[in-house]
Amino acid sequence: MNVLVIGGAGYIGIHTVKALLEAGHTAVVFDNLSTGHQEALARLPAPVPFIRGDVTRAEDLERAFKEHPVDAVMHFAAKSLVGESMQHPAAYYHNNVLGGVTLLECMRAHGVKTLIFSSTAAVYGEPEAVPIAEEHPLRPSSVYGRTKRMFEEMLEDYRRVYGLRYAALRYFNAAGADPGGALGEDHDPETHLIPIVLQAALGLREAVTIYGTDYDTPDGTCIRDYIHVSDLADAHVLALEVLSQGAGSGAYNLGNGSGFSVREVIETAERVVGRPIPVKEGPRRPGDPAVLVAGAEKARRELGWRPRWAELETIVRTAWEWHRAHPQGYRTARAGAPPLD
Ligand code: UDP
């Protein structure tokens, strides 16, 4: 299929573009490069057309739909930081909600009826029980989570009235890097735990600060379900294929179903890098639930999804190989620094 990938130059988007190409699909990447990296496209196994555009601008989207055949859309373009969303809600409603509707309207104008959407575990809020099933009530505790829930609601209305076919994929904690070494995580500023731990291991930052040691968990630190980015990418391709074969629309959790505390992640990273990592203890980060673990049976059952890099150690190892070889992210490649691996 010909897939238009909105936000395809970002971390999860580019790994998914690679998975699409490997599965025999074609892709066009549309990205405003606010957080994505055009350099990443040169590291794909085949050339992919690139359109620099913004999902909130209908005229930018029009270009993509006019210039390329589009059978389906994958939508990754969103602002995605919980803390920032609480400080700057307008930017989140603008990008994630207005951008989403603009995209849906463009798809409708061009008769494109299949959409795979990046949703998030943040739609659930503080869980009543773990693992969290898709039927769990949606009570997001952040603006970010609310924008994603709103868009999921719109998808359901577009399905009912306009015949949209969609999958809303609720990611737990995306981590790791392309096992082939070509692609990885490169955020500026970086806020995610695993890259921060590895940057501390590389001496690129003084230490990793643990946000809260007084949670009601066995070691007092937050528990999360880390899922390899290439496993997430595979789930997008499967969702696309299953939808195009006539499966019903809906939401799917994507996680491994096992939780690891912040301390366990740091210990795993110390094993992978083979040395101690400097750690500080700090206060809780507002908006962080104590435990988030996915019940991901639905994706296994209905999409046939089988995570290939499920072990935390494997996830951290692939991330380590990327960060070690690209301490400045994709800029390292541009500067021509010799790879370490
Ligand atoms: N975390 C931490 N120190 C950091 C970054 C994150 O202790 O420098 C914790 C954070 O409080 C959460 C977990 O690590 O419990 C994962 O956070 P991340 O930002 O990676 O993902 P999120 O759960 O926010 O999607």
Side-chain angles (χ1 to χ4, degrees):
M1 296 177 87
N2 300 305
V3 185
L4 175 61
V5 187
I6 311 290
Y11 172 48
I12 303 174
I14 195 74
H15 284 80
T16 304
V17 171
K18 184 174 186 218
L20 280 168
L21 299 179
E22 285 171 351
H25 301 286
T26 68
V28 172
V29 169
F30 177 102
D31 201 296
N32 69 2
L33 299 180
S34 60
T35 56
H37 301 277
Q38 200 173 345
E39 293 94 331
L41 271 75
R43 303 178 138 234
L44 291 167
V48 162
F50 173 69
I51 295 173
R52 185 166 187 174
D54 195 292
V55 71
T56 63
R57 289 167 52 94
E59 60 271 36
D60 290 359
L61 289 167
E62 274 297 320
R63 262 185 59 213
F65 281 91
K66 283 202 183 115
E67 288 174 9
H68 300 277
V70 179
D71 302 313
V73 175
M74 292 191 176
H75 178 28
F76 297 91
K79 294 183 80 69
S80 63
L81 302 177
V82 167
E84 184 188 59
S85 78
M86 303 304 279
Q87 303 294 325
H88 303 286
Y92 277 69
Y93 288 111
H94 183 80
N95 272 271
N96 299 4
V97 181
L98 176 65
V101 189
T102 309
L103 174 61
L104 286 175
E105 282 302 280
C106 235
M107 288 175 64
R108 203 154 71 88
H110 290 270
V112 177
K113 291 197 177 253
T114 305
L115 177 68
I116 313 295
F117 170 59
S118 298
S119 190
T120 168
V123 295
Y124 295 114
E126 191 71 49
E128 286 170 0
V130 285
I132 306 173
E134 286 82 359
E135 299 73 35
H136 186 286
L138 304 186
R139 285 194 290 258
S141 44
S142 65
V143 172
Y144 167 59
R146 282 195 281 282
T147 64
K148 292 283 181 171
R149 183 186 63 185
M150 280 175 199
F151 194 64
E152 283 200 16
E153 287 169 351
M154 286 182 210
L155 293 178
E156 190 49 29
D157 287 331
Y158 271 66
R159 179 197 66 75
R160 190 171 46 78
V161 179
Y162 306 123
L164 178 74
R165 289 184 297 266
Y166 74 88
L169 303 182
R170 295 178 181 158
Y171 312 153
F172 282 64
N173 285 64
D178 169 38
L183 309 171
E185 190 163 8
D186 181 356
H187 295 121
D188 186 16
E190 187 53 76
T191 62
H192 296 106
L193 179 63
I194 290 177
I196 285 177
V197 169
L198 297 178
Q199 286 170 356
L202 284 167
L204 296 172
R205 57 176 80 223
E206 198 190 316
V208 51
T209 302
I210 300 178
Y211 295 148
T213 53
D214 58 349
Y215 284 96
D216 185 16
T217 58
D219 68 15
T221 66
C222 284
I223 293 178
R224 292 288 180 275
D225 183 339
Y226 295 88
I227 177 77
H228 196 284
V229 64
S230 300
D231 286 329
L232 286 184
D234 287 349
H236 289 73
V237 178
L238 290 167
L240 174 74
E241 291 170 351
V242 165
L243 276 183
S244 68
Q245 288 155 14
S249 298
Y252 296 89
N253 285 342
L254 297 180
N256 279 309
S258 32
F260 294 91
S261 72
V262 174
R263 285 197 203 281
E264 286 173 325
V265 169
I266 296 169
E267 282 159 21
T268 304
E270 286 179 329
R271 272 200 307 281
V272 167
V273 309
R275 56 179 180 267
I277 295 171
V279 172
K280 286 184 188 163
E281 294 184 1
R284 292 183 179 198
R285 186 171 68 176
D288 273 343
V291 182
L292 285 176
V293 176
E297 284 313 305
K298 186 179 173 196
R300 288 173 174 269
R301 199 174 56 240
E302 295 186 13
L303 305 180
W305 183 56
R306 300 279 176 276
R308 288 188 280 170
W309 294 281
E311 297 296 321
L312 180 64
E313 191 154 327
T314 311
I315 294 172
V316 173
R317 177 165 297 113
T318 60
W320 173 237
E321 282 160 8
W322 163 259
H323 287 286
R324 206 174 41 151
H326 306 87
Q328 307 301 327
Y330 289 103
R331 266 178 301 153
T332 313
R334 190 169 45 198
L340 299 177
D341 52 353

